[in-house]
Amino acid sequence: MKHHLIIVACLLVALASCAQSKEATSTDAAGTKAPASAIVENRQANGDVYYARRATLFDLLPVGESDIIMLGNSLTDGAEWNELLDNPNVKNRGIVGDIVQGLYERMKPILVGQPAKVFIMSGVNDVSHGVTADSIARATEKLIVLIKAYSPRTKIYLQSMLPFNNQVREWKLLVGREQVVVDANRLLEQVARRQEVTWINLYPLFADEQGRLRAEYTNDGLHLLGPAYLVWRDAIKPYVK
Amino acid sequence: MKHHLIIVACLLVALASCAQSKEATSTDAAGTKAPASAIVENRQANGDVYYARRATLFDLLPVGESDIIMLGNSLTDGAEWNELLDNPNVKNRGIVGDIVQGLYERMKPILVGQPAKVFIMSGVNDVSHGVTADSIARATEKLIVLIKAYSPRTKIYLQSMLPFNNQVREWKLLVGREQVVVDANRLLEQVARRQEVTWINLYPLFADEQGRLRAEYTNDGLHLLGPAYLVWRDAIKPYVK
């Protein structure tokens, strides 16, 4: 019962927020620098010009009912998913540095297209910002509720967070936070079950025996080399068809 | 006559270099961190983990005879070209920070596929490294000669360099170097004519009256916002079909 109340509350917040964003994201056909949402504005004000740039591109690229959206942060951004999956309907909507709330705030140009599928990968930047596993799971649930509300036919695939490896290169903001990823994944799996979306547990495919990102898959302890993207691709391929 | 000698010399160097790289780029199916070429190794040693990562992905993604390759630096990397051009054969082979020699050294996985077309965009990072217009043009000619030698059926499209705008944000390494771009473009056009490849002069579409990148197209004076990619897309679309 408590869960239902939370979900209804989230939905109301989501609808209000999305309604606001409908006004905020209008694109000037003549070309504009106007940021698409509060988070983009905030990112740009803080010098994250890449985020703002990529969001202005995503505002202009159409999404259709056959499309499969790869939604996420730098891990998603870094690949050529349409090539990896050999499917022209697969579209990259990853932005380096994004957090779960960032995905939420830039959903409008995706949801208006009522895409067939959305694959979500997020959370590690939230961890680096000190966000708890519980907050990551709640933000992700809010995102899923938003997608279901605005595009009920979209099939949602929630991918687990991947491990990182601070022995390959130290990410100061991730030191000692390995367990947050493990805890978040446990909660995210519950979110997936509760929301009746597909859970894809990628973590075991990328973790070594100590729960670190396999050293051979990365050159910086966090991001993925080419062969690691093939592992990810193989794991999700059955769901893409 | 002098030009022919230069071209033959370049070709010999190219062949030797490419032959070496055939050994150097062999990919371990089990996953490897081995850099694909000297420039990738160098980049990784200097902490440019993104470059090395993206090169390992490109080593694994197949290229075919119908493919249209968008080859370049961050300007190319930043877009979703298959979506912009609504063509699944269009493949992004841009890497942030790349220089003309970098393109040259990572051509092997592209050329083995004998792609239908290659669009080249490069040079501004060379300018920021203090490279002269003349050297940029010579390196680009060497790249074109390599492509023609290894994939004679590939149609090559040489795109002009774009202007930058140090008033939007100062790029210290580009201060006072606006003229290098203008001079390089003049020489690149000659290269295109000499090599009988298609020259696409994008510069006038992106420059304001002072020869700066139009302020409305950028949020950092160098990279492009979404609407600017539509301008670029429209300019090359007739050549993509």
Side-chain angles (χ1 to χ4, degrees):
Chain A
M1 177 63 190
K2 195 178 160 203
H3 274 315
H4 283 98
L5 281 176
I6 292 169
I7 291 165
V8 169
C10 287
L11 189 55
L12 289 173
V13 173
L15 291 168
S17 164
C18 209
Q20 282 183 333
S21 116
K22 263 173 196 164
E23 289 166 12
T25 57
S26 66
T27 304
D28 177 0
T32 175
K33 284 199 289 185
S37 72
I39 204 160
V40 171
E41 199 166 329
N42 185 269
R43 292 269 178 164
Q44 185 155 329
N46 285 295
D48 189 354
V49 286
Y50 180 82
Y51 192 99
R53 253 187 341 254
R54 199 144 163 87
T56 64
L57 178 66
F58 292 160
D59 277 345
L60 295 172
L61 293 174
V63 168
E65 291 184 2
S66 304
D67 286 344
I68 296 162
I69 303 298
M70 302 300 294
L71 182 69
N73 52 33
S74 56
L75 295 166
T76 298
D77 194 347
E80 300 297 320
W81 291 102
N82 59 315
E83 293 187 51
L84 280 166
L85 292 157
D86 194 20
N87 186 324
N89 290 122
V90 175
K91 298 189 168 177
N92 190 327
R93 291 295 180 272
I95 306 187
V96 172
D98 213 355
I99 57 175
V100 182
Q101 177 65 17
L103 306 183
Y104 182 92
E105 294 200 23
R106 60 184 176 85
M107 283 309 292
K108 193 201 160 206
I110 296 169
L111 294 179
V112 293
Q114 305 281 300
K117 302 180 181 188
V118 172
F119 286 78
I120 301 168
M121 165 58 75
S122 192
V124 75
N125 294 311
D126 301 70
V127 175
S128 75
H129 295 175
V131 173
T132 64
D134 191 53
S135 292
I136 290 169
R138 271 186 284 120
T140 306
E141 184 153 18
K142 195 178 84 163
L143 171 65
I144 291 171
V145 169
L146 178 78
I147 298 171
K148 289 167 81 170
Y150 277 80
S151 189
R153 64 178 290 283
T154 299
K155 284 187 185 164
I156 300 168
Y157 301 83
L158 180 56
Q159 301 169 109
S160 76
M161 291 170 64
L162 306 187
F164 53 87
N165 189 328
N166 261 338
Q167 293 195 325
V168 172
R169 196 173 101 179
E170 185 178 283
W171 293 81
K172 281 186 186 151
L173 296 172
L174 291 173
V175 169
R177 293 182 173 165
E178 286 81 357
Q179 189 60 34
V180 181
V181 174
V182 175
D183 293 343
N185 278 341
R186 189 174 36 81
L187 296 171
L188 288 170
E189 186 175 5
Q190 294 172 13
V191 167
R193 198 175 308 126
R194 193 154 60 231
Q195 293 295 333
E196 296 178 334
V197 303
T198 304
W199 169 248
I200 304 177
N201 191 10
L202 298 173
Y203 184 93
L205 302 174
F206 289 87
D208 66 15
E209 289 176 1
Q210 286 76 42
R212 300 190 191 100
L213 178 58
R214 285 173 165 216
E216 70 268 27
Y217 284 170
T218 182
N219 64 1
D220 70 353
L222 182 56
H223 299 100
L224 303 178
L225 293 167
Y229 277 114
L230 299 190
V231 174
W232 187 348
R233 184 268 314 269
D234 291 344
I236 65 173
K237 199 155 194 176
Y239 303 104
V240 169
K241 299 277 171 187
Chain B
M1 177 62 189
K2 196 178 158 203
H3 274 314
H4 283 99
L5 282 176
I6 290 170
I7 291 165
V8 169
C10 286
L11 189 55
L12 289 173
V13 172
L15 292 168
S17 163
C18 210
Q20 281 182 334
S21 117
K22 264 172 195 163
E23 290 167 11
T25 58
S26 65
T27 303
D28 176 359
T32 175
K33 283 199 290 184
S37 72
I39 204 160
V40 171
E41 199 167 326
N42 186 268
R43 292 268 178 164
Q44 186 156 328
N46 285 296
D48 189 354
V49 285
Y50 180 82
Y51 191 99
R53 246 178 359 243
R54 199 143 163 88
T56 64
L57 178 66
F58 293 160
D59 277 345
L60 294 173
L61 294 174
V63 168
E65 290 183 2
S66 304
D67 286 345
I68 297 163
I69 303 297
M70 302 300 294
L71 182 68
N73 51 34
S74 56
L75 294 166
T76 298
D77 193 348
E80 299 296 321
W81 292 103
N82 59 315
E83 293 187 51
L84 281 166
L85 292 156
D86 194 20
N87 186 324
N89 291 123
V90 175
K91 298 188 167 177
N92 190 327
R93 291 296 180 272
I95 307 187
V96 172
D98 214 356
I99 57 175
V100 183
Q101 178 66 17
L103 306 183
Y104 182 93
E105 293 200 24
R106 61 184 175 85
M107 285 309 292
K108 194 201 161 205
I110 296 169
L111 294 178
V112 293
Q114 305 280 300
K117 303 180 182 189
V118 172
F119 286 77
I120 302 168
M121 164 58 75
S122 193
V124 75
N125 294 312
D126 301 70
V127 174
S128 75
H129 296 175
V131 173
T132 64
D134 191 54
S135 291
I136 291 168
R138 271 187 283 119
T140 305
E141 185 154 18
K142 195 177 85 163
L143 171 65
I144 291 170
V145 169
L146 178 77
I147 298 171
K148 289 167 80 170
Y150 277 81
S151 188
R153 65 179 289 282
T154 300
K155 285 187 184 163
I156 300 168
Y157 300 83
L158 181 56
Q159 301 168 108
S160 75
M161 290 170 64
L162 306 186
F164 54 87
N165 189 329
N166 261 339
Q167 293 195 323
V168 172
R169 195 173 102 179
E170 185 177 284
W171 292 80
K172 281 186 186 150
L173 296 172
L174 291 172
V175 169
R177 293 182 174 164
E178 287 81 358
Q179 191 58 34
V180 181
V181 174
V182 175
D183 293 343
N185 278 341
R186 189 173 36 79
L187 296 172
L188 288 171
E189 186 175 7
Q190 293 172 13
V191 167
R193 198 176 308 128
R194 192 154 62 230
Q195 292 295 333
E196 297 179 331
V197 304
T198 304
W199 169 245
I200 304 177
N201 191 10
L202 299 173
Y203 184 94
L205 302 174
F206 289 87
D208 66 16
E209 289 175 2
Q210 285 76 43
R212 298 189 192 102
L213 177 58
R214 287 172 165 215
E216 70 267 27
Y217 284 169
T218 183
N219 63 2
D220 69 353
L222 182 55
H223 299 100
L224 303 177
L225 292 167
Y229 277 114
L230 298 190
V231 174
W232 187 348
R233 183 269 312 270
D234 290 344
I236 64 173
K237 198 155 193 175
Y239 304 105
V240 169
K241 298 276 170 188

